[in-house]
Amino acid sequence: MKLLRFLLPFSSFIIIQMLLSQSVMAETGIPILSVETNDSGNQEYSVTLQILGLMTLLTFIPAIVMMMTSFIRVTVVFAILRQALGMQQTPSNQILIGLSLFLSFFIMSPVIEQVNQQAIQPYLQESITSIQALEKAQQPFSDFMFGQIRESDLILFMDLSNTPALEEGQMPPFKVLVPAFIISELKTAFQIGFLLFIPFLIIDLVIASILMAMGMMMLSPLIISLPFKIMLFVLIDGWALVVGTLANSFT
């Protein structure tokens, strides 16, 4: 009962203060959620709306990193390489994802630097609006994806979306560009993975033939071939070759 006697006046005081603060804000006209039109005709959003848009954009960062960068090709190639070596859990998924992430940042560094110069810095200096900054940030990613897309994949999604033919120098719409880029990256990753599989497959065939000739049919060839595949991969400096090939494939 004593607690209720204390909480009731205290809660009433808080409610009264909230009502008074809302009335003061209404009288002074503090802009919280507002859109204003400047002298040039562009619309400027209040800080609250900009923060809300930024927080919403942060939820799409994983999708942007995974589907609009080199991350797709790198992760698929590493996964195929681990399968070709015959090691299901080594390196672990965390190591492969971390390596793919940092390698993707390395490959995408020119694009990130271009976005920083064209969009982020002018926006921080308040020389462009948030909408203009978003449009300028989209352009470097569009150029990067367009440079990696196969013509057949681009035509496929343009036909599916009934997009008219592009003129010379015209960039396809974003709804066509992203799925075409994803399909092209998967095709390229599988091609690189096929070339990686061939030498390890030859080792498996040789070991299996030797075991069959010796009559050791009960012994799994994977147990014998795994050390030879690891030794071959280490001797030829396989990680450097794979990473170098992936990085050069985007130039």
Side-chain angles (χ1 to χ4, degrees), residues 114-124 128 133-134 136-137:
Q114 191 175 0
V115 170
N116 181 54
Q117 294 178 357
Q118 296 183 0
I120 298 178
Q121 293 301 324
Y123 175 72
L124 294 177
I128 60 176
L134 185 60
K136 290 181 178 294

Side-chain angles (χ1 to χ4, degrees), residues 162-233:
N162 296 323
T163 303
L166 301 175
E167 299 179 358
E168 185 177 356
Q170 183 181 2
M171 187 67 65
F174 217 61
K175 65 177 182 179
V176 173
L177 196 63
V178 174
F181 171 75
I182 295 173
I183 297 300
S184 297
E185 286 295 285
L186 288 175
K187 287 183 179 179
T188 305
F190 274 73
Q191 289 176 353
I192 299 175
F194 171 76
L195 297 177
L196 288 175
F197 237 106
I198 293 178
F200 300 113
L201 181 61
I202 293 176
I203 294 177
D204 287 333
L205 291 176
V206 171
I207 296 298
S209 300
I210 294 175
L211 292 178
M212 289 289 292
M214 296 175 61
M216 303 174 65
M217 293 177 291
M218 299 301 294
L219 182 62
S220 175
L222 295 177
I223 300 176
I224 307 300
S225 63
L226 181 59
F228 290 98
K229 290 190 289 187
I230 295 176
M231 181 182 64
L232 174 65
F233 192 70

Side-chain angles (χ1 to χ4, degrees), residues 6-23:
F6 170 77
L7 288 178
L8 286 176
F10 181 75
S11 59
S12 302
F13 174 75
I14 294 297
I15 294 173
I16 292 174
Q17 290 295 325
M18 292 176 61
L19 293 175
L20 289 177
S21 61
Q22 289 181 359
S23 62

Side-chain angles (χ1 to χ4, degrees), residues 35-51:
V35 180
E36 298 179 356
T37 304
N38 53 24
D39 298 334
S40 60
N42 297 324
Q43 290 183 339
E44 296 182 354
Y45 297 89
S46 62
V47 177
T48 307
L49 278 178
Q50 294 181 18
I51 294 175

